[in-house]
Amino acid sequence: MENNNVITPPDSIGTRVEQPVKYTAKDFSSGLEVRWCPGCGDYSILAQVQRTAPEINVPKENMVWVSGIGCSSRFPYYMDTFGFHGIHGRAAAIASGVKIANPKLSVWVATGDGDLLSIGGNHFIHACRRNMDLKIMLFNNRIYGLTKGQYSPTSEKGKKTKSSPHGSIDFPFKPVSVALASGATFVARSMDRDPKHLQAMMARAAEHKGTAMIEIYQNCNIFNDGAFLHLTEKELKDENVVYLEHGKPLLYGHNKNKGIRLNGLTPELVDLSKGEFSVSDLWVHDEHDINPARAFILSQFIEMEHFPTPLGIFSQIQKSTYDADVEEQIAEVQKTKGIGNLKKLLYSGNTWKIE
Amino acid sequence: MAKDVEIQILDDVTVRFAGDSGDGMQLTGAQFTNTTALAGNDLSTLPDYPAEIRAPAGTLYGVSGFQLHFSSSDIQTPGDSPDVLIAMNPAALKVNLKDLKPDATIIVNTSAFDSKNLRLAEYAVNPLDDDTLNGYNVIQVPLTDLTMKSLEELRLSNKEKERCKNFFALGLMFWLYNREVDATIEWIESKFKKDAVLVQANKNALYAGYYYGENTEIFSTRYHVEPAKLPAGTYRNIQGNEATALGLLTASLRAGIPLFLGSYPITPASEILHELSRHKDFGVKIFQAEDEIGAICAAIGASFAGSLGLTTTSGPGLSLKTEAIGLALMTELPLVIVDVQRGGPSTGLPTKTEQADLLQAMYARNGESPVVVLSANSPADCFFMAIEACRIAIKFMVPVILLTDGYIANGSEPLRLPEIDELPEIPVNFRTDPEGFYPYTRDENLARPWAIPGTKGLEHRIGGLEKKNIQGGISYDTDNHELMIHLRQEKVNKVAFDIPDLAVDGDSEGDLLVLGWGSTYGAIREAITHLRKKGYKVSQAHFQYLNPMPKNTGEVLSKFKNILVPELNLGQCATLLRNQFLIPVIQFNKVQGLPFKVIELENKIIEILGVPNGK
């Protein structure tokens, strides 16, 4: 019989099924009636997530979706995984607790621009700083939708909304810049209207160990319709989007005749059809560059006149994760000190007996 | 050759060490306490230090004090008024003089009474030279000079030598109270083991102080306090925060689930974070969060994932956690929130004590949002109430707020160490069976199942939106909402049947019941003990469970003509009592950042009862 006086700590909880399970997209649908506005970009994101989830090889009982408050934060209810619909802005903090408590879980955050970058900004930057192994999907529609149309921290300056009838005087955040500056180890951008690309980004994020942030441009057809039209419409897209591909030059344009070269730290648009520059002069994207400077320059394009909007992976680097380090530190302490014994601990220090 | 000294037996002594915040008074007090504990006295301590880490030397606001009350009988408070003051400089004398007994002994470090220090202490005339100290037994010892002299041979800077003066003072006190120096010698050897010169210096200073008492004619009397007759067992001296931390750790081991603490540093709660951080050998996971909100939200996430989620804070932090506590009670997850109360509102008096967060703990949330509220009576009681908080949180799947305060968090007293099998069982039954699983089914305690991620077939969603009873889907149905409100309230009400009845010390009916909660226990207890000796008949009851209150509370209250509720606030528990039981209660309130003195309570009770009412 176990000695009652020797209480030792419990083992870690939660188990991963070893054999791969074959799922379909349908397996990830909770069956709950989806209640976003008709035409909302969130429908596409949900569809891409449910299509990609079977590919990432995680038993669905080990997948946890955490959210805050906002239209996007209804997301967990529609996934047939474990889900936690939190309070405004706190998804990253709640998800951090889930992940630290059980690092075997695959923990995903569904959040919006208000939720993650305004009220939840602090939790977001600190999750990135710690390289907490969370996959954060930021549904960026540049507007507060659930509260019916106020400007958000990613709304462009001058935007007229219900709370800014004369135009917003706030400068917006560039979420990719914030993530990079905060130490996120996987930073990407995609769009609700580019299903294949979004699936690819999600699959790459799932593989990554560490904080992964995917900024997803998402159309709010009620309060900010057409915000990303220039990136999604066939005739405009080629001229306004540059896809980031590792090892490939930054090339775009309808005829693939435009490129970006880096002159020192200054990016320059060049026209390849004029003969002055060729493809070999262009900036070749290195998503694993450990120096964040170039990724940061890329993240600035969205505010630079005439520059195309980059989609793809800005940066992916390897760093130890917080949750793994917690486990490692505990294992180290237990190796040197031995596994804790309650009776020994309580009776440690100076004790005396009274008969 | 040793002189002849008389040894006088005392029942009870209160000593206060006071000096600059850089003089090591807390350390000196802790060492004297430790040795006193080993000598078998009952004891109670109270550190009192400024909010500034190192206030300018010699100033009145930079004075740091440590008070120790020790006795051959059972005691409950650090003592109203010191019998002995060790004043390391003029400021320490000035700040503490008003608290002393009229005939107290004052040991003064005369080396520090120079013109600069006198000016800083705002003394126009040296108080050692006028009649300021008339009536006191003043013992003048040039502590600093004697310390320096005892260290002449050692290769240390003058500043380093001077810093050993607290050990000289300690050595002198050890002699005066007939104590062994061994435990402190051992401590010095371990603390400074990397620096042999410092070991030597501190030992020299300690012995120099001891032999100064032994060999000079200044002291003709030594004192002895017999060991106290406490219940049999093994004891250790423990501070409240340390006891809380060990209680939380014990609970996680009894429950067999990992401990997760999300916390953000805040005075006076940080020591719980520090203490638990030392115990990674138990597999505890500590998350020092980016803010108070992150700390509690991570604890909620960990609890969702099957850990014992905890967060520790003080009043301002509890304010920030408000919304998240609502989330925990809505998602019906176990969560323990420890609030080490301090002087408020706002930043208030961070290093001082108060009991003014009771109504915040009870009500400061949006919506109908009942949580369980407990409080600890004393430093040692923090250990047991921390375990109790975890037990209730897990059993009822509910957030529990445990209120302690700065006074018991920093104070210390002997804890009789429990045998492991004396501790309560904390069964945890994670749901594993997918058959018939719904997130909001309920057991006989109305607790919902704890179904943690990683369990096949139990995938489900919870959150802050109102949920449909049993099935747990989002529900805006008005009748369902009211039902869920009632279920959550009923669940908390049911806790009353799972906790001890309110016990009455003394007669169960009569003229006066003194009813307190939390850290006022000791002072009330001592006041009543004194008054009973004087022929007063007074009963005492004390809450450790504030929400819900013990189920016999109404009945207890109905048996007394008067109910006195002393509190370190403007009447928060009194408000709860009037509200729940529609009875008049007499308030007795103090909001000075300080605990009640025993004499203040005695005077109040006498004011109510008049002449002795006993037989």
Side-chain angles (χ1 to χ4, degrees):
Chain A
M1 204 188 127
E2 204 191 339
N3 180 353
N4 211 14
N5 285 335
V6 188
I7 298 191
T8 51
D11 288 333
S12 211
I13 43 173
T15 48
R16 178 182 285 245
V17 179
E18 291 306 329
Q19 68 272 29
V21 189
K22 281 281 163 229
Y23 295 115
T24 64
K26 208 165 164 276
D27 291 321
F28 286 90
S29 167
S30 70
L32 194 70
E33 184 197 348
V34 183
R35 285 202 191 169
W36 288 310
C37 307
C40 176
D42 291 358
Y43 283 95
S44 167
I45 300 173
L46 177 63
Q48 306 331 317
V49 169
Q50 289 174 341
R51 271 172 210 154
T52 311
E55 310 303 316
I56 63 178
N57 220 16
V58 172
K60 65 177 188 172
E61 67 270 21
N62 285 359
M63 186 179 260
V64 182
W65 280 87
V66 182
S67 65
I69 294 293
C71 295
S72 62
S73 290
R74 296 298 177 92
F75 196 91
Y77 289 117
Y78 306 133
M79 291 290 292
D80 191 30
T81 63
F82 282 87
F84 198 105
H85 181 209
I87 44 177
H88 202 15
R90 317 303 171 199
I94 295 166
S96 294
V98 173
K99 182 69 190 180
I100 299 165
N102 188 353
K104 291 170 191 154
L105 300 171
S106 176
V107 184
W108 295 73
V109 172
T111 182
D113 38 316
D115 194 51
L116 188 73
L117 293 163
S118 199
I119 190 167
N122 203 30
H123 309 301
F124 173 54
I125 61 173
H126 287 276
C128 293
R129 171 174 71 83
R130 297 183 179 109
N131 198 29
M132 196 73 72
D133 187 16
L134 304 177
K135 319 300 168 209
I136 300 170
M137 299 188 76
L138 164 61
F139 299 24
N140 183 8
N141 55 16
R142 297 186 176 162
I143 198 82
Y144 283 102
L146 197 63
T147 50
K148 299 191 165 64
Q150 302 80 14
Y151 64 98
S152 92
T154 55
S155 296
E156 59 277 16
K157 186 167 163 63
K159 189 174 195 65
K160 288 188 174 167
T161 69
K162 284 182 190 156
S163 59
S164 58
H166 310 294
S168 148
I169 53 173
D170 289 30
F171 290 108
F173 260 147
K174 295 179 281 298
V176 169
S177 305
V178 175
L180 287 168
S182 307
T185 49
F186 179 101
V187 184
R189 181 186 290 135
S190 192
M191 296 192 300
D192 56 358
R193 299 283 293 277
D194 196 342
K196 288 277 172 262
H197 187 262
L198 180 52
Q199 289 174 32
M201 291 301 104
M202 184 186 163
R204 285 287 304 276
E207 279 170 24
H208 178 72
K209 289 298 275 180
T211 308
M213 198 280 292
I214 308 176
E215 179 187 23
I216 305 164
Y217 285 156
Q218 173 249 323
N219 191 44
C220 172
N221 57 323
I222 305 296
F223 295 109
N224 199 19
D225 196 24
F228 306 105
L229 215 59
H230 63 299
L231 307 177
T232 54
E233 293 312 290
K234 211 165 182 280
E235 60 277 16
L236 299 170
K237 184 176 175 177
D238 289 348
E239 297 299 314
N240 290 313
V241 169
V242 58
Y243 281 97
L244 303 174
E245 292 175 272
H246 180 63
K248 303 242 175 99
L250 299 188
L251 197 59
Y252 71 105
H254 193 58
N255 302 313
K256 289 286 175 208
N257 60 341
K258 292 178 175 174
I260 297 149
R261 77 176 198 126
L262 201 51
N263 183 4
L265 285 177
T266 308
E268 293 174 349
L269 298 179
V270 297
D271 187 344
L272 299 180
S273 56
K274 289 185 175 164
E276 194 187 344
F277 296 103
S278 72
V279 170
S280 59
D281 293 312
L282 299 183
W283 174 350
V284 176
H285 182 53
D286 176 5
E287 63 189 26
H288 306 306
D289 192 348
I290 52 164
N291 183 338
R294 286 186 190 82
F296 198 82
I297 293 169
L298 287 172
S299 74
Q300 302 293 305
F301 282 15
I302 55 169
E303 283 187 354
M304 292 164 63
E305 221 179 334
H306 307 307
F307 272 70
T309 295
L311 296 182
I313 297 165
F314 287 72
S315 169
Q316 184 192 16
I317 55 168
Q318 300 299 323
K319 233 172 25 179
S320 68
T321 66
Y322 184 97
D323 41 290
D325 283 351
V326 165
E327 299 292 315
E328 195 183 308
Q329 193 174 54
I330 287 172
E332 252 169 56
V333 172
Q334 290 185 331
K335 210 169 125 192
T336 46
K337 271 178 85 175
I339 288 178
N341 175 309
L342 181 62
K343 176 136 193 185
K344 227 167 107 183
L345 174 64
L346 292 181
Y347 284 69
S348 65
N350 289 304
T351 61
W352 67 97
K353 267 202 154 85
I354 291 180
E355 303 293 340
Chain B
M1 203 189 90
K3 60 190 181 178
D4 282 342
V5 288
E6 178 202 354
I7 293 202
Q8 195 180 330
I9 308 285
L10 299 175
D11 287 340
D12 187 296
V13 181
T14 299
V15 172
R16 187 183 290 178
F17 295 90
D20 263 331
S21 49
D23 275 347
M25 291 298 96
Q26 303 304 322
L27 176 73
T28 311
Q31 284 300 313
F32 195 76
T33 301
N34 186 26
T35 292
T36 299
L38 291 175
N41 295 137
D42 195 11
L43 63 86
S44 174
T45 71
L46 176 67
D48 177 29
Y49 46 82
E52 293 78 13
I53 301 300
R54 289 279 181 275
T59 58
L60 292 167
Y61 60 89
V63 172
S64 168
F66 185 99
Q67 186 162 315
L68 165 66
H69 180 195
F70 56 103
S71 170
S72 57
S73 56
D74 185 18
I75 52 166
Q76 311 290 343
T77 72
D80 280 3
S81 310
D83 302 292
V84 183
L85 171 71
I86 295 87
M88 299 300 277
N89 65 15
L93 177 69
K94 186 161 203 175
V95 168
N96 292 291
L97 194 59
K98 62 180 189 315
D99 296 335
L100 303 183
K101 288 200 179 125
D103 56 350
T105 295
I106 306 173
I107 299 174
V108 183
N109 175 19
T110 53
S111 312
F113 278 63
D114 57 20
S115 57
K116 183 185 168 199
N117 280 333
L118 288 166
R119 181 165 43 78
L120 286 168
E122 295 164 21
Y123 273 124
V125 181
N126 189 340
L128 303 176
D129 297 338
D130 63 13
D131 55 6
T132 306
L133 303 179
N134 279 1
Y136 297 105
N137 172 27
V138 181
I139 298 169
Q140 302 194 20
V141 183
L143 269 163
T144 314
D145 297 338
L146 290 167
T147 304
M148 302 296 281
K149 211 169 157 214
S150 73
L151 305 180
E152 255 170 10
E153 309 291 314
L154 295 177
R155 291 171 62 91
L156 284 173
S157 68
N158 279 347
K159 202 174 165 190
E160 285 170 310
K161 287 181 185 175
E162 201 225 305
R163 288 181 60 185
C164 294
K165 65 179 183 294
N166 58 333
F167 277 94
F168 187 100
L170 182 61
L172 180 57
M173 290 299 286
F174 279 160
W175 179 83
L176 197 59
Y177 286 95
N178 207 11
R179 298 286 190 222
E180 305 282 344
V181 297
D182 305 11
T184 294
I185 294 289
E186 221 171 272
W187 182 88
I188 290 171
E189 284 171 349
S190 141
K191 174 83 184 171
F192 302 108
K193 66 174 172 238
K194 288 191 182 135
D195 192 334
V197 185
L198 279 183
V199 170
Q200 199 55 51
N202 285 300
K203 277 162 81 170
N204 281 12
L206 185 77
Y207 282 120
Y210 192 91
Y211 289 117
Y212 182 78
E214 181 90 8
N215 295 324
T216 56
E217 297 298 326
I218 299 177
F219 299 96
S220 57
T221 311
R222 293 175 84 175
Y223 303 97
H224 181 72
V225 179
E226 291 283 328
K229 291 164 207 69
L230 299 173
T234 304
Y235 286 77
R236 73 183 272 190
N237 188 48
I238 199 157
Q239 286 187 315
N241 274 342
E242 190 184 9
T244 302
L246 292 181
L248 297 171
L249 177 59
T250 300
S252 94
L253 295 169
R254 290 299 276 175
I257 54 173
L259 180 156
F260 179 99
L261 172 68
S263 190
Y264 186 78
I266 186 168
T267 302
S270 300
E271 289 80 12
I272 306 174
L273 167 65
H274 304 168
E275 179 65 23
L276 283 171
S277 299
R278 293 174 53 227
H279 300 306
K280 299 228 165 81
D281 50 331
F282 287 87
V284 300
K285 292 182 177 174
I286 311 293
F287 180 62
Q288 183 177 311
E290 55 276 10
D291 56 37
E292 294 280 359
I293 298 170
I296 186 171
C297 285
I300 291 170
S303 180
F304 176 59
S307 289
L308 175 57
L310 310 169
T311 188
T312 50
T313 190
S314 185
L318 188 65
S319 305
L320 285 164
K321 293 180 196 295
T322 293
E323 187 191 13
I325 295 172
L327 177 66
L329 78 91
M330 195 70 163
T331 51
E332 301 191 43
L333 286 166
L335 178 74
V336 173
I337 304 112
V338 180
D339 173 13
V340 185
Q341 299 166 96
R342 69 188 213 188
S346 188
T347 309
L349 302 175
T351 62
K352 304 293 180 192
T353 202
E354 212 158 278
Q355 292 185 299
D357 292 350
L358 174 56
L359 293 183
Q360 178 178 212
M362 286 290 297
Y363 297 126
R365 284 168 294 285
N366 62 309
E368 292 294 344
S369 47
V371 299
V372 176
V373 181
L374 310 181
S375 63
N377 285 353
S378 70
D381 192 46
C382 290
F383 177 76
F384 299 103
M385 292 315 288
I387 297 174
E388 189 62 350
C390 298
R391 183 189 73 79
I392 293 171
I394 290 171
K395 184 168 181 177
F396 290 86
M397 296 287 283
V398 71
V400 177
I401 298 176
L402 172 61
L403 297 173
T404 73
D405 61 37
Y407 170 53
I408 55 176
N410 292 316
S412 76
E413 67 175 353
L415 164 68
R416 193 184 73 85
L417 293 165
E419 289 298 332
I420 302 297
D421 51 17
E422 288 173 41
L423 297 167
E425 299 277 351
I426 306 181
V428 171
N429 300 307
F430 291 133
R431 173 85 186 205
T432 52
D433 185 4
E435 194 57 41
F437 167 74
Y438 290 108
Y440 285 87
T441 55
R442 294 178 189 279
D443 67 11
E444 69 278 11
N445 299 310
L446 298 181
R448 70 173 196 91
W450 198 357
I452 65 173
T455 320
K456 199 173 167 144
L458 298 189
E459 295 84 358
H460 68 284
R461 277 67 50 195
I462 55 174
L465 278 174
E466 186 64 278
K467 296 295 182 295
K468 187 164 168 51
N469 185 30
I470 301 173
Q471 285 93 339
I474 303 171
S475 169
Y476 298 112
D477 182 82
T478 49
D479 290 341
N480 177 76
H481 175 55
E482 191 166 36
L483 172 67
M484 293 299 273
I485 292 282
H486 280 291
L487 282 169
R488 287 187 288 266
Q489 180 65 54
E490 185 57 27
K491 180 169 76 163
V492 169
N493 294 349
K494 267 181 174 284
V495 173
F497 296 89
D498 200 54
I499 58 174
D501 274 352
L502 184 64
V504 178
D505 180 85
D507 293 345
S508 59
E509 53 180 49
D511 295 332
L512 179 64
L513 176 73
V514 185
L515 179 58
W517 65 279
S519 71
T520 54
Y521 174 80
I524 297 173
R525 176 112 220 95
E526 281 192 15
I528 286 180
T529 307
H530 292 174
L531 289 176
R532 283 181 185 158
K533 284 182 189 159
K534 291 181 187 165
Y536 286 91
K537 218 172 78 175
V538 194
S539 297
Q540 181 186 11
H542 208 81
F543 285 127
Q544 287 163 305
Y545 300 85
L546 289 146
N547 196 47
M549 288 178 179
K551 58 184 184 303
N552 66 330
T553 303
E555 196 195 330
V556 167
L557 301 186
S558 68
K559 300 284 172 57
F560 290 89
K561 278 187 205 151
N562 295 293
I563 294 155
L564 174 65
V565 184
E567 294 180 87
L568 301 174
N569 57 42
L570 291 183
Q572 300 194 6
C573 186
T575 300
L576 295 181
L577 290 167
R578 288 191 196 105
N579 179 40
Q580 285 194 36
F581 302 105
L582 298 174
I583 49 154
V585 297
I586 304 167
Q587 290 184 204
F588 184 45
N589 304 110
K590 172 173 171 177
V591 203
Q592 300 170 359
L594 294 168
F596 280 115
K597 288 185 171 183
V598 174
I599 188 72
E600 291 166 345
L601 291 161
E602 286 181 39
N603 289 342
K604 182 69 192 176
I605 294 168
I606 290 170
E607 182 192 313
I608 295 167
L609 289 177
V611 293
N613 60 339
K615 287 167 203 147

